[in-house]
Coordinates of all heavy atoms in Angstrom, one line a residue:
Y1 N 21.4 -51.1 -36.0 CA 20.1 -51.6 -35.5 C 19.1 -50.4 -35.6 O 19.3 -49.4 -34.9 CB 20.2 -52.1 -34.1 CG 18.9 -52.6 -33.5 CD1 18.2 -53.6 -34.0 CD2 18.5 -51.9 -32.3 CE1 17.1 -54.0 -33.4 CE2 17.3 -52.4 -31.8 CZ 16.6 -53.4 -32.3 OH 15.4 -53.8 -31.8
H2 N 18.1 -50.5 -36.4 CA 17.1 -49.4 -36.6 C 15.8 -49.8 -35.9 O 15.3 -51.0 -36.0 CB 16.8 -49.2 -38.0 CG 18.0 -48.7 -38.8 ND1 18.4 -47.4 -38.8 CD2 19.0 -49.4 -39.4 CE1 19.5 -47.2 -39.5 NE2 19.9 -48.4 -39.9
N3 N 15.2 -48.9 -35.1 CA 14.1 -49.2 -34.3 C 13.3 -47.9 -34.1 O 13.8 -46.9 -33.7 CB 14.5 -49.8 -33.0 CG 13.4 -50.4 -32.2 OD1 12.3 -49.8 -32.1 ND2 13.6 -51.6 -31.6
N4 N 11.9 -48.0 -34.2 CA 11.1 -46.8 -33.9 C 11.1 -46.5 -32.5 O 11.0 -45.3 -32.1 CB 9.7 -47.1 -34.4 CG 9.5 -47.0 -35.9 OD1 10.3 -46.4 -36.6 ND2 8.6 -47.7 -36.4
E5 N 11.3 -47.4 -31.6 CA 11.4 -47.1 -30.1 C 12.6 -46.3 -29.8 O 12.6 -45.4 -29.0 CB 11.3 -48.4 -29.3 CG 10.0 -49.1 -29.4 CD 9.9 -50.4 -28.6 OE1 10.9 -50.7 -27.9 OE2 8.9 -51.1 -28.7
V6 N 13.7 -46.6 -30.5 CA 14.9 -45.8 -30.3 C 14.7 -44.4 -30.9 O 15.1 -43.4 -30.2 CB 16.1 -46.5 -31.1 CG1 17.3 -45.6 -31.0 CG2 16.4 -47.8 -30.4
A7 N 14.0 -44.2 -32.0 CA 13.7 -42.9 -32.5 C 12.8 -42.1 -31.5 O 13.0 -40.9 -31.3 CB 13.0 -43.0 -33.8
H8 N 11.9 -42.8 -30.8 CA 11.0 -42.2 -29.8 C 11.9 -41.8 -28.6 O 11.7 -40.7 -28.1 CB 9.9 -43.1 -29.4 CG 9.0 -42.5 -28.4 ND1 8.1 -41.5 -28.7 CD2 8.8 -42.7 -27.1 CE1 7.4 -41.2 -27.6 NE2 7.9 -41.9 -26.6
L9 N 12.7 -42.6 -28.2 CA 13.6 -42.3 -27.1 C 14.5 -41.1 -27.4 O 14.7 -40.2 -26.6 CB 14.5 -43.5 -26.7 CG 15.7 -43.3 -25.7 CD1 15.1 -42.9 -24.4 CD2 16.5 -44.5 -25.6
C10 N 15.1 -41.1 -28.6 CA 15.9 -40.0 -29.1 C 15.1 -38.7 -29.1 O 15.6 -37.7 -28.6 CB 16.4 -40.3 -30.5 SG 17.6 -39.1 -31.1
D11 N 13.9 -38.8 -29.6 CA 13.0 -37.6 -29.6 C 12.8 -37.1 -28.2 O 12.9 -35.9 -27.9 CB 11.7 -37.9 -30.3 CG 10.8 -36.7 -30.4 OD1 11.3 -35.7 -30.9 OD2 9.6 -36.8 -30.1
R12 N 12.5 -38.0 -27.3 CA 12.3 -37.6 -25.9 C 13.5 -36.9 -25.3 O 13.4 -35.9 -24.6 CB 11.9 -38.8 -25.1 CG 11.8 -38.7 -23.6 CD 10.5 -38.0 -23.2 NE 10.4 -37.8 -21.7 CZ 9.7 -38.6 -21.0 NH1 9.0 -39.6 -21.4 NH2 9.7 -38.4 -19.7
L13 N 14.7 -37.5 -25.5 CA 15.9 -36.9 -25.0 C 16.2 -35.6 -25.6 O 16.7 -34.7 -24.9 CB 17.0 -37.9 -25.2 CG 16.9 -39.2 -24.4 CD1 18.0 -40.2 -24.8 CD2 17.1 -39.0 -22.9
M14 N 15.9 -35.4 -26.9 CA 16.1 -34.2 -27.5 C 15.2 -33.1 -27.0 O 15.6 -32.0 -26.7 CB 15.8 -34.3 -29.1 CG 16.9 -35.1 -29.8 SD 16.5 -35.4 -31.5 CE 16.6 -33.7 -32.2
Q15 N 13.9 -33.4 -26.7 CA 12.9 -32.5 -26.2 C 13.3 -32.0 -24.8 O 13.0 -30.9 -24.4 CB 11.5 -33.0 -26.2 CG 11.0 -33.1 -27.6 CD 9.5 -33.6 -27.6 OE1 8.8 -33.4 -26.6 NE2 9.1 -34.2 -28.7
E16 N 13.9 -32.9 -24.0 CA 14.3 -32.6 -22.7 C 15.7 -31.9 -22.6 O 16.2 -31.6 -21.5 CB 14.3 -33.8 -21.8 CG 12.9 -34.3 -21.6 CD 12.8 -35.3 -20.4 OE1 13.5 -35.1 -19.4 OE2 12.0 -36.3 -20.5
G17 N 16.4 -31.8 -23.8 CA 17.6 -31.1 -23.8 C 18.9 -32.0 -23.5 O 20.0 -31.5 -23.3
F18 N 18.7 -33.3 -23.5 CA 19.8 -34.2 -23.2 C 20.6 -34.6 -24.5 O 21.7 -35.1 -24.4 CB 19.4 -35.5 -22.5 CG 18.9 -35.2 -21.1 CD1 17.5 -35.1 -20.8 CD2 19.8 -35.0 -20.1 CE1 17.1 -34.8 -19.6 CE2 19.4 -34.7 -18.8 CZ 18.0 -34.6 -18.6
I19 N 20.0 -34.3 -25.7 CA 20.7 -34.4 -27.0 C 20.5 -33.1 -27.7 O 19.4 -32.7 -27.9 CB 20.1 -35.6 -27.8 CG1 20.2 -36.9 -27.1 CG2 20.7 -35.6 -29.2 CD1 19.6 -38.1 -27.9
S20 N 21.6 -32.5 -28.0 CA 21.6 -31.2 -28.7 C 22.3 -31.2 -30.0 O 22.2 -30.2 -30.8 CB 22.2 -30.1 -27.8 OG 23.5 -30.4 -27.5
D21 N 23.0 -32.3 -30.3 CA 23.9 -32.3 -31.5 C 23.2 -32.9 -32.7 O 23.8 -33.2 -33.7 CB 25.2 -32.9 -31.3 CG 25.1 -34.3 -30.6 OD1 24.1 -34.6 -30.1 OD2 26.1 -35.0 -30.6
L22 N 21.8 -33.2 -32.6 CA 21.1 -33.8 -33.7 C 20.0 -32.8 -34.1 O 19.4 -32.1 -33.2 CB 20.5 -35.1 -33.3 CG 21.4 -36.3 -33.0 CD1 20.6 -37.5 -32.5 CD2 22.2 -36.6 -34.2
K23 N 19.6 -32.8 -35.4 CA 18.5 -31.9 -35.8 C 17.2 -32.7 -35.8 O 16.1 -32.1 -35.7 CB 18.8 -31.4 -37.2 CG 20.0 -30.5 -37.2 CD 20.1 -29.7 -38.5 CE 21.3 -28.9 -38.6 NZ 21.6 -27.9 -37.7
A24 N 17.2 -34.0 -35.9 CA 16.0 -34.8 -35.9 C 16.3 -36.2 -35.2 O 17.5 -36.6 -35.2 CB 15.6 -35.1 -37.4
P25 N 15.3 -36.8 -34.7 CA 15.5 -38.1 -34.0 C 16.1 -39.1 -35.0 O 15.7 -39.1 -36.2 CB 14.1 -38.5 -33.5 CG 13.4 -37.3 -33.5 CD 13.9 -36.4 -34.6
I26 N 16.9 -40.0 -34.5 CA 17.5 -41.0 -35.4 C 17.0 -42.4 -34.9 O 16.8 -42.6 -33.7 CB 19.0 -41.0 -35.4 CG1 19.6 -41.1 -33.9 CG2 19.5 -39.8 -36.1 CD1 21.1 -41.1 -33.9
P27 N 16.8 -43.4 -35.8 CA 16.2 -44.7 -35.4 C 17.3 -45.7 -35.1 O 17.0 -46.9 -35.1 CB 15.5 -45.1 -36.7 CG 16.3 -44.5 -37.8 CD 16.8 -43.2 -37.3
H28 N 18.5 -45.3 -34.8 CA 19.5 -46.3 -34.4 C 20.2 -45.8 -33.1 O 20.4 -44.6 -32.9 CB 20.5 -46.6 -35.5 CG 21.3 -45.4 -35.9 ND1 22.5 -45.1 -35.3 CD2 21.1 -44.5 -36.8 CE1 23.0 -44.0 -35.8 NE2 22.2 -43.6 -36.8
Y29 N 20.6 -46.8 -32.3 CA 21.2 -46.5 -31.0 C 22.7 -46.3 -31.1 O 23.5 -47.1 -31.0 CB 20.9 -47.7 -30.0 CG 21.0 -47.3 -28.6 CD1 19.9 -47.0 -27.9 CD2 22.2 -47.2 -27.9 CE1 19.9 -46.6 -26.5 CE2 22.3 -46.8 -26.6 CZ 21.2 -46.5 -25.9 OH 21.2 -46.1 -24.6
G30 N 23.0 -45.0 -31.5 CA 24.4 -44.7 -31.7 C 24.9 -43.9 -30.5 O 24.3 -43.8 -29.5
P31 N 26.1 -43.3 -30.7 CA 26.8 -42.7 -29.6 C 26.0 -41.4 -29.1 O 26.1 -41.1 -27.9 CB 28.1 -42.3 -30.2 CG 28.0 -42.4 -31.6 CD 26.9 -43.4 -31.9
E32 N 25.3 -40.8 -30.0 CA 24.5 -39.6 -29.6 C 23.4 -40.0 -28.6 O 23.2 -39.3 -27.6 CB 23.9 -38.9 -30.8 CG 24.9 -38.4 -31.8 CD 25.2 -39.4 -32.9 OE1 24.7 -40.6 -32.8 OE2 25.9 -39.1 -33.8
V33 N 22.7 -41.0 -28.9 CA 21.6 -41.5 -28.1 C 22.2 -42.0 -26.7 O 21.6 -41.7 -25.7 CB 20.7 -42.6 -28.8 CG1 19.6 -43.1 -27.8 CG2 20.1 -42.0 -30.0
A34 N 23.2 -42.8 -26.8 CA 23.9 -43.3 -25.6 C 24.3 -42.2 -24.7 O 24.1 -42.2 -23.4 CB 25.0 -44.2 -25.9
R35 N 24.9 -41.2 -25.2 CA 25.4 -40.0 -24.4 C 24.2 -39.3 -23.8 O 24.2 -38.9 -22.7 CB 26.2 -39.1 -25.3 CG 26.8 -37.9 -24.6 CD 27.8 -37.1 -25.4 NE 27.4 -36.9 -26.8 CZ 27.9 -37.5 -27.9 NH1 28.8 -38.4 -27.7 NH2 27.5 -37.2 -29.1
G36 N 23.1 -39.1 -24.6 CA 21.9 -38.4 -24.1 C 21.3 -39.2 -23.0 O 20.9 -38.7 -21.9
L37 N 21.2 -40.6 -23.2 CA 20.6 -41.4 -22.1 C 21.5 -41.4 -20.9 O 20.9 -41.3 -19.7 CB 20.4 -42.8 -22.6 CG 19.8 -43.8 -21.6 CD1 18.4 -43.3 -21.3 CD2 19.7 -45.2 -22.2
R38 N 22.8 -41.4 -21.0 CA 23.7 -41.4 -19.9 C 23.5 -40.1 -19.1 O 23.4 -40.1 -17.9 CB 25.1 -41.6 -20.3 CG 26.1 -41.7 -19.2 CD 27.5 -41.9 -19.7 NE 28.4 -42.2 -18.7 CZ 29.7 -42.4 -18.8 NH1 30.3 -42.2 -20.0 NH2 30.5 -42.7 -17.8
N39 N 23.4 -39.0 -19.8 CA 23.2 -37.7 -19.1 C 21.8 -37.7 -18.4 O 21.7 -37.1 -17.3 CB 23.3 -36.6 -20.1 CG 24.7 -36.4 -20.5 OD1 25.7 -36.8 -19.9 ND2 24.9 -35.9 -21.7
Y40 N 20.8 -38.3 -19.0 CA 19.5 -38.4 -18.4 C 19.5 -39.2 -17.1 O 19.0 -38.8 -16.1 CB 18.5 -39.0 -19.4 CG 17.1 -39.1 -18.9 CD1 16.1 -38.1 -19.1 CD2 16.6 -40.2 -18.1 CE1 14.8 -38.2 -18.6 CE2 15.4 -40.3 -17.7 CZ 14.4 -39.3 -17.9 OH 13.2 -39.4 -17.4
Q41 N 20.2 -40.3 -17.2 CA 20.3 -41.2 -16.0 C 21.1 -40.5 -14.9 O 20.8 -40.7 -13.7 CB 20.9 -42.5 -16.4 CG 20.0 -43.4 -17.3 CD 20.7 -44.6 -17.9 OE1 21.9 -44.6 -18.1 NE2 20.0 -45.6 -18.1
R42 N 22.1 -39.8 -15.3 CA 22.9 -39.1 -14.3 C 22.1 -37.9 -13.6 O 22.1 -37.8 -12.4 CB 24.1 -38.4 -14.9 CG 25.2 -39.4 -15.2 CD 26.3 -38.7 -15.9 NE 27.5 -39.5 -16.1 CZ 28.6 -39.1 -16.8 NH1 28.6 -37.9 -17.4 NH2 29.6 -39.9 -16.9
E43 N 21.4 -37.2 -14.5 CA 20.6 -36.1 -14.0 C 19.5 -36.5 -12.9 O 19.4 -35.8 -11.9 CB 19.9 -35.4 -15.1 CG 18.9 -34.3 -14.8 CD 19.6 -33.0 -14.3 OE1 20.8 -32.8 -14.7 OE2 18.9 -32.2 -13.6
Y44 N 18.9 -37.6 -13.2 CA 17.8 -38.1 -12.3 C 18.3 -39.2 -11.3 O 17.5 -39.8 -10.7 CB 16.6 -38.6 -13.1 CG 15.9 -37.4 -13.9 CD1 16.1 -37.3 -15.2 CD2 15.2 -36.4 -13.2 CE1 15.5 -36.2 -15.9 CE2 14.6 -35.4 -13.9 CZ 14.8 -35.3 -15.2 OH 14.2 -34.2 -15.9
K45 N 19.6 -39.4 -11.3 CA 20.2 -40.3 -10.4 C 19.6 -41.7 -10.5 O 19.2 -42.3 -9.5 CB 20.1 -39.8 -8.9 CG 20.9 -38.5 -8.8 CD 20.8 -37.9 -7.4 CE 21.5 -36.6 -7.2 NZ 21.7 -35.7 -8.2
L46 N 19.5 -42.2 -11.7 CA 18.9 -43.5 -12.0 C 19.9 -44.6 -12.0 O 19.6 -45.8 -12.1 CB 18.1 -43.5 -13.3 CG 17.0 -42.4 -13.3 CD1 16.4 -42.3 -14.7 CD2 15.9 -42.8 -12.3
V47 N 21.2 -44.2 -12.0 CA 22.3 -45.2 -11.9 C 23.3 -44.7 -10.9 O 23.4 -43.5 -10.6 CB 23.0 -45.3 -13.3 CG1 22.1 -46.0 -14.3 CG2 23.5 -44.0 -13.8
N48 N 24.0 -45.7 -10.3 CA 25.0 -45.3 -9.4 C 26.3 -45.2 -10.2 O 26.3 -45.4 -11.4 CB 25.2 -46.3 -8.2 CG 25.5 -47.7 -8.7 OD1 26.3 -47.9 -9.6 ND2 24.9 -48.7 -8.0
W49 N 27.4 -44.8 -9.5 CA 28.6 -44.5 -10.3 C 29.2 -45.8 -10.9 O 29.8 -45.7 -12.0 CB 29.7 -43.9 -9.4 CG 30.3 -44.7 -8.3 CD1 29.8 -45.0 -7.1 CD2 31.5 -45.5 -8.5 NE1 30.6 -45.8 -6.4 CE2 31.7 -46.2 -7.3 CE3 32.4 -45.7 -9.5 CZ2 32.7 -47.1 -7.0 CZ3 33.4 -46.6 -9.3 CH2 33.6 -47.2 -8.1
I50 N 29.0 -46.9 -10.3 CA 29.5 -48.2 -11.0 C 28.7 -48.5 -12.2 O 29.3 -48.8 -13.3 CB 29.4 -49.4 -10.0 CG1 30.4 -49.1 -8.8 CG2 29.7 -50.7 -10.7 CD1 30.2 -50.1 -7.7
Q51 N 27.4 -48.4 -12.1 CA 26.5 -48.6 -13.3 C 26.8 -47.6 -14.4 O 26.9 -47.9 -15.6 CB 25.0 -48.5 -12.9 CG 24.6 -49.7 -12.0 CD 23.2 -49.4 -11.4 OE1 22.9 -48.2 -11.1 NE2 22.5 -50.4 -11.2
D52 N 27.1 -46.4 -14.0 CA 27.4 -45.3 -15.0 C 28.7 -45.6 -15.7 O 28.7 -45.5 -16.9 CB 27.5 -44.0 -14.3 CG 27.8 -42.8 -15.2 OD1 27.1 -42.7 -16.2 OD2 28.8 -42.1 -15.0
M53 N 29.7 -46.1 -15.0 CA 31.0 -46.4 -15.6 C 30.9 -47.7 -16.5 O 31.6 -47.8 -17.5 CB 32.1 -46.5 -14.6 CG 32.4 -45.2 -13.9 SD 32.8 -43.9 -15.0 CE 34.4 -44.5 -15.6
W54 N 30.1 -48.6 -16.0 CA 30.0 -49.9 -16.7 C 29.1 -49.8 -18.0 O 29.5 -50.2 -19.1 CB 29.4 -50.9 -15.8 CG 29.3 -52.3 -16.4 CD1 28.2 -52.8 -17.0 CD2 30.3 -53.3 -16.5 NE1 28.5 -54.1 -17.5 CE2 29.8 -54.4 -17.2 CE3 31.7 -53.3 -16.1 CZ2 30.6 -55.5 -17.4 CZ3 32.4 -54.4 -16.3 CH2 31.9 -55.5 -17.0
Y55 N 27.9 -49.2 -17.9 CA 27.0 -49.2 -19.0 C 27.2 -48.0 -20.0 O 27.0 -48.1 -21.1 CB 25.6 -49.2 -18.5 CG 25.2 -50.4 -17.8 CD1 24.7 -50.4 -16.5 CD2 25.2 -51.7 -18.5 CE1 24.3 -51.6 -15.9 CE2 24.9 -52.8 -17.8 CZ 24.4 -52.8 -16.5 OH 24.1 -53.9 -15.9
K56 N 27.6 -46.9 -19.4 CA 27.9 -45.6 -20.2 C 26.8 -45.3 -21.2 O 26.9 -44.9 -22.3 CB 29.2 -45.8 -21.0 CG 30.4 -46.0 -20.2 CD 31.7 -46.2 -21.0 CE 32.8 -46.5 -20.0 NZ 34.0 -46.9 -20.7
G57 N 25.5 -45.4 -20.6 CA 24.4 -45.0 -21.4 C 23.9 -46.1 -22.4 O 23.0 -45.8 -23.2
H58 N 24.4 -47.3 -22.3 CA 24.0 -48.3 -23.2 C 23.1 -49.3 -22.6 O 22.8 -50.4 -23.2 CB 25.3 -49.1 -23.7 CG 26.2 -48.3 -24.6 ND1 25.9 -48.1 -26.0 CD2 27.3 -47.6 -24.4 CE1 26.8 -47.3 -26.5 NE2 27.6 -46.9 -25.5
Y59 N 22.5 -48.9 -21.5 CA 21.5 -49.8 -20.9 C 20.2 -49.0 -20.5 O 20.3 -48.1 -19.7 CB 22.0 -50.4 -19.6 CG 21.0 -51.3 -18.9 CD1 20.6 -52.5 -19.5 CD2 20.5 -51.0 -17.7 CE1 19.7 -53.4 -18.9 CE2 19.6 -51.8 -17.0 CZ 19.2 -53.0 -17.6 OH 18.3 -53.8 -17.0
F60 N 19.2 -49.2 -21.2 CA 17.9 -48.6 -21.0 C 17.0 -49.6 -20.4 O 16.2 -50.3 -21.0 CB 17.3 -48.2 -22.4 CG 16.0 -47.4 -22.3 CD1 16.0 -46.2 -21.5 CD2 15.0 -47.7 -23.1 CE1 14.8 -45.5 -21.5 CE2 13.8 -47.0 -23.0 CZ 13.7 -45.9 -22.2
G61 N 17.1 -49.7 -19.0 CA 16.4 -50.7 -18.3 C 15.2 -50.2 -17.6 O 14.7 -49.1 -17.8
P62 N 14.6 -51.1 -16.8 CA 13.3 -50.9 -16.2 C 13.2 -49.6 -15.3 O 12.2 -48.9 -15.3 CB 13.0 -52.1 -15.3 CG 14.2 -52.9 -15.4 CD 15.1 -52.4 -16.4
R63 N 14.3 -49.3 -14.6 CA 14.3 -48.1 -13.7 C 14.2 -46.8 -14.6 O 13.4 -45.9 -14.2 CB 15.5 -48.1 -12.9 CG 15.5 -47.0 -11.8 CD 16.7 -47.2 -10.9 NE 16.6 -46.2 -9.8 CZ 17.5 -46.0 -8.9 NH1 18.5 -46.8 -8.9 NH2 17.3 -45.1 -8.0
T64 N 14.9 -46.7 -15.6 CA 14.8 -45.6 -16.5 C 13.5 -45.5 -17.2 O 12.9 -44.4 -17.4 CB 16.0 -45.6 -17.5 OG1 17.2 -45.7 -16.8 CG2 16.0 -44.3 -18.4
I65 N 13.0 -46.6 -17.7 CA 11.7 -46.7 -18.4 C 10.6 -46.2 -17.4 O 9.8 -45.4 -17.8 CB 11.5 -48.1 -18.9 CG1 12.4 -48.4 -20.1 CG2 10.0 -48.2 -19.4 CD1 12.4 -49.9 -20.5
A66 N 10.6 -46.7 -16.2 CA 9.6 -46.3 -15.2 C 9.7 -44.8 -15.0 O 8.6 -44.2 -14.8 CB 9.8 -47.1 -13.9
H67 N 10.9 -44.3 -14.9 CA 11.0 -42.9 -14.6 C 10.4 -42.0 -15.8 O 9.7 -41.1 -15.6 CB 12.4 -42.5 -14.3 CG 12.6 -41.1 -13.9 ND1 12.8 -40.1 -14.8 CD2 12.6 -40.5 -12.7 CE1 12.9 -38.9 -14.2 NE2 12.8 -39.2 -12.9
M68 N 10.8 -42.5 -17.0 CA 10.3 -41.7 -18.2 C 8.8 -41.9 -18.3 O 8.1 -40.9 -18.6 CB 10.9 -42.3 -19.4 CG 12.3 -41.8 -19.6 SD 12.9 -42.2 -21.3 CE 14.2 -41.0 -21.4
N69 N 8.2 -43.0 -18.0 CA 6.8 -43.2 -18.0 C 6.1 -42.4 -17.0 O 5.0 -41.8 -17.2 CB 6.4 -44.7 -17.9 CG 6.7 -45.5 -19.1 OD1 6.9 -44.9 -20.2 ND2 6.8 -46.8 -19.0
A70 N 6.7 -42.3 -15.8 CA 6.1 -41.5 -14.7 C 6.0 -40.0 -15.1 O 5.1 -39.2 -14.7 CB 6.8 -41.7 -13.4
Q71 N 7.0 -39.5 -15.9 CA 7.0 -38.1 -16.4 C 6.2 -37.9 -17.6 O 6.0 -36.7 -18.0 CB 8.5 -37.8 -16.7 CG 9.4 -37.8 -15.5 CD 9.0 -36.8 -14.4 OE1 8.7 -35.7 -14.8 NE2 9.1 -37.1 -13.2
A72 N 5.6 -38.9 -18.2 CA 4.9 -38.8 -19.4 C 3.6 -37.9 -19.3 O 3.2 -37.2 -20.2 CB 4.5 -40.2 -20.0
N73 N 3.0 -37.9 -18.1 CA 1.8 -37.1 -17.9 C 2.1 -35.7 -17.4 O 1.2 -34.9 -17.2 CB 0.9 -37.7 -16.9 CG 0.3 -39.0 -17.5 OD1 0.0 -39.1 -18.7 ND2 0.1 -40.0 -16.7
N74 N 3.4 -35.4 -17.3 CA 3.8 -34.0 -16.9 C 3.5 -33.1 -18.0 O 3.8 -33.3 -19.2 CB 5.3 -34.0 -16.7 CG 5.8 -32.8 -16.1 OD1 5.3 -31.7 -16.3 ND2 6.9 -32.9 -15.3
P75 N 2.8 -31.9 -17.7 CA 2.4 -31.0 -18.8 C 3.5 -30.4 -19.6 O 3.4 -29.9 -20.6 CB 1.6 -29.9 -18.1 CG 1.6 -30.3 -16.6 CD 2.3 -31.6 -16.4
K76 N 4.7 -30.5 -19.0 CA 5.9 -30.0 -19.7 C 6.2 -30.8 -20.9 O 6.8 -30.3 -21.9 CB 7.1 -30.1 -18.7 CG 8.4 -29.6 -19.2 CD 9.5 -29.7 -18.1 CE 10.9 -29.4 -18.7 NZ 11.9 -29.6 -17.7
Y77 N 5.8 -32.0 -21.0 CA 6.1 -32.9 -22.1 C 4.8 -33.2 -22.9 O 3.9 -33.8 -22.3 CB 6.7 -34.2 -21.6 CG 7.9 -34.0 -20.7 CD1 7.8 -34.4 -19.4 CD2 9.0 -33.3 -21.1 CE1 8.9 -34.1 -18.5 CE2 10.0 -33.0 -20.2 CZ 10.0 -33.4 -19.0 OH 11.0 -33.2 -18.1
P78 N 4.8 -32.9 -24.2 CA 3.5 -33.0 -24.9 C 3.1 -34.4 -25.4 O 2.1 -34.6 -26.0 CB 3.8 -32.1 -26.1 CG 5.3 -32.2 -26.3 CD 5.8 -32.3 -24.9
W79 N 3.9 -35.4 -25.1 CA 3.5 -36.8 -25.7 C 2.7 -37.6 -24.7 O 2.6 -37.7 -23.7 CB 4.8 -37.5 -26.1 CG 5.8 -37.6 -25.1 CD1 5.9 -38.5 -24.1 CD2 6.9 -36.7 -24.9 NE1 7.0 -38.2 -23.3 CE2 7.6 -37.1 -23.8 CE3 7.3 -35.6 -25.5 CZ2 8.7 -36.4 -23.3 CZ3 8.4 -34.9 -25.1 CH2 9.1 -35.3 -24.0

């Protein structure tokens, strides 16, 4: 599944240091993106342990989206 939104998510996770094994953002939701998203959700406590074990980074839901959008105006992130 190829999607520009996934590439944007991948880029964001790379810039924040949650994905380090890629050289450029990828447009498909593969294991690298899922691992990066899972680490992001764990870092900011956006999922509880049951959700973490169940979804394993494969759910990019409203809570994570809201958190990322809230951080969008942070001067640390240029987008």
Side-chain angles (χ1 to χ4, degrees):
Y1 177 64
H2 297 273
N3 189 319
N4 286 335
E5 291 178 6
V6 173
H8 182 71
L9 171 63
C10 183
D11 184 48
R12 171 79 180 258
L13 293 170
M14 288 173 70
Q15 289 184 25
E16 291 196 39
F18 292 100
I19 297 177
S20 60
D21 52 343
L22 295 175
K23 296 195 187 293
I26 55 175
H28 63 88
Y29 202 96
E32 300 89 355
V33 178
R35 186 171 41 256
L37 181 61
R38 186 177 190 185
N39 291 333
Y40 181 92
Q41 291 170 330
R42 285 176 172 173
E43 175 75 21
Y44 294 108
K45 298 177 180 31
L46 300 172
V47 293
N48 62 39
W49 70 272
I50 295 172
Q51 293 167 324
D52 181 51
M53 294 303 294
W54 183 264
Y55 295 121
K56 298 179 182 170
H58 292 279
Y59 180 69
F60 184 53
R63 189 170 183 187
T64 306
I65 293 169
H67 186 272
M68 285 189 157
N69 287 340
Q71 296 295 321
N73 294 324
N74 188 332
K76 180 179 172 184
Y77 311 116
W79 51 87

